[in-house]
Amino acid sequence: MRYIETLREGERIQETYLCRQRTTAMTKTGKEYENVILQDKTGSLDAKIWDPHSMGIDEFDALDYVEVNGDVTVFNGQTQLSIKRARKISETDVDPTNYLPCTNKNIDEMMMELTKFIAGVNNPYYKQVLTKLFIDNTEFAEAFKKHSAAKSVHHGFIGGLLEHTLSVAKMCDFFAKQYPILNRDLLMINGDLLYTAAMCHDIGKVYELSDFPMNDYTDAGQLLGHIVMGSEMLGKIMDSIPDFPTKLKNELKHCILAHHGKMEFGSPKVPAIMEAMALHMADNADAKLQTLTEVFTQAGDNMGW
């Protein structure tokens, strides 16, 4: 199989991919053509059908497996495929694992490593929140393990949400140890709060984005977004725990609401406590570095500017 990341300009290919999207458009001269987004486990590919009514183009829809014949081109620095022929392939004739992007790390091992942070949380209220979410709620935990962290920008693959959350938790662990207790009464960083916020900061993405192969925004995701959804989820859990201190509730919810750092980036609040600032920096750093990692991975031979 020719994976998308290996395609090079000037090649003619005949290969099967998953169709993510198929839409009709018009050229500036009024000629109809079709935009098609193809996918395999290595990434996605923008494709064009310039003559959609030709005999070589069969009927197929989004989420169909499609055998395409076409020429690989480059437009504005991005690899494209000009489709000459296309036909739908039965799901029984393909291996789905070739078409769904997935983390290259062991998902179960990552989940075990993440849940070890729960043992390091001493505050009994925050420990109950994490236990109810990641240990007792097996349905949520399974969904969390397999979910993506984004539609496309970073960690947009199976296991991406878990991989991103673990990275953020590790960075926050460093921050908590680097800026510890100043004296008996003053914490620079409250590790219990920061660990809990790190593990929970993106839990709303389980419901903001649909499962693969769609991996697209749900109605609730479009209307509310994962920040608000995650805060609401934590609010319900904390309300179910007797005598949960209001101050602890508000600080944890604040970290979730502020983790994008700025209102123009989707945060209803900006960081107002040190733990929220640390979480924002860890989240932003991992997202940016993973974005660059994916750019370099998909660049092929183009490793210059």
Side-chain angles (χ1 to χ4, degrees):
M1 177 174 177
R2 283 298 305 276
Y3 289 115
I4 286 172
E5 69 177 8
T6 69
L7 301 183
R8 298 293 179 265
E9 183 179 15
E11 295 179 331
R12 169 159 286 203
I13 65 164
Q14 181 175 335
E15 192 54 78
T16 299
Y17 299 109
L18 177 67
C19 174
R20 282 290 307 278
Q21 182 177 311
R22 183 183 185 183
T23 57
T24 301
M26 290 285 184
T27 65
K28 293 179 180 179
T29 60
K31 186 177 185 299
E32 184 179 292
Y33 71 99
E34 290 184 344
N35 286 312
V36 180
I37 298 178
L38 302 173
Q39 173 184 298
D40 67 17
K41 69 178 182 180
T42 68
S44 60
L45 176 66
D46 183 30
K48 309 292 182 186
I49 302 177
W50 296 112
D51 191 5
H53 302 296
S54 67
M55 291 187 62
I57 306 298
D58 293 347
E59 287 297 319
F60 66 90
D61 297 310
L63 301 186
D64 285 340
Y65 293 98
V66 184
E67 182 184 76
V68 294
N69 184 303
D71 299 320
V72 181
T73 62
V74 172
F75 181 72
N76 285 340
Q78 298 296 317
T79 302
Q80 284 190 350
L81 181 68
S82 177
I83 298 176
K84 308 301 182 184
R85 295 179 178 275
R87 69 184 184 94
K88 181 179 176 180
I89 299 294
S90 171
E91 293 183 11
T92 60
D93 294 331
V94 299
D95 181 357
T97 61
N98 286 326
Y99 301 93
L100 300 179
C102 186
T103 177
N104 57 12
K105 299 178 174 64
N106 186 292
I107 289 178
D108 289 331
E109 289 179 1
M110 284 195 295
M111 193 66 181
M112 288 179 60
E113 189 174 0
L114 182 68
T115 53
K116 284 181 181 178
F117 281 100
I118 299 176
V121 173
N122 296 314
N123 183 282
Y125 297 103
Y126 287 149
K127 188 185 285 285
Q128 285 184 77
V129 170
L130 295 173
T131 300
K132 283 177 175 289
L133 194 59
F134 291 99
I135 305 299
D136 297 343
N137 192 342
T138 56
E139 182 179 352
F140 172 82
E142 284 300 311
F144 183 89
K145 284 165 56 175
K146 298 175 182 177
H147 225 74
S148 75
K151 181 179 176 180
S152 59
V153 179
H154 70 91
H155 295 92
F157 45 77
I158 294 172
L161 178 57
L162 172 57
E163 185 176 318
H164 169 62
T165 302
L166 179 58
S167 293
V168 170
K170 287 179 176 179
M171 291 186 197
C172 287
D173 182 47
F174 169 79
F175 291 147
K177 292 173 179 175
Q178 186 72 8
Y179 303 97
I181 299 172
L182 283 183
N183 55 55
R184 290 182 60 186
D185 300 316
L186 179 62
L187 286 168
M188 286 294 284
I189 286 184
N190 181 337
D192 288 347
L193 171 59
L194 185 55
Y195 294 145
T196 305
M199 291 183 66
C200 295
H201 79 283
D202 271 350
I203 56 174
K205 287 189 174 181
V206 172
Y207 306 107
E208 179 187 45
L209 295 165
S210 59
D211 294 335
F212 282 94
M214 280 299 294
N215 189 43
D216 205 349
Y217 290 102
T218 63
D219 289 344
Q222 293 278 20
L223 293 170
L224 302 175
H226 72 279
I227 292 178
V228 170
M229 296 168 79
S231 176
E232 289 180 344
M233 290 168 64
L234 285 177
K236 290 179 181 178
I237 294 172
M238 291 187 287
D239 286 344
S240 73
I241 298 172
D243 303 319
F244 203 113
T246 300
K247 181 175 184 291
L248 299 186
K249 282 185 183 181
N250 289 339
E251 288 181 344
L252 178 56
K253 292 175 74 173
H254 173 76
C255 288
I256 306 306
L257 293 172
H259 81 262
H260 276 193
K262 297 181 179 181
M263 291 184 179
E264 57 263 41
F265 296 156
S267 275
K269 299 292 292 182
V270 296
I273 57 178
M274 200 164 182
E275 293 81 6
M277 179 60 74
L279 174 62
H280 162 59
M281 290 190 293
D283 176 58
N284 192 43
D286 187 60
K288 292 289 195 300
L289 292 174
Q290 176 64 24
T291 298
L292 290 172
T293 299
E294 293 175 18
V295 168
F296 295 149
T297 299
Q298 297 169 15
D301 299 328
N302 181 24
M303 295 305 291
W305 290 107

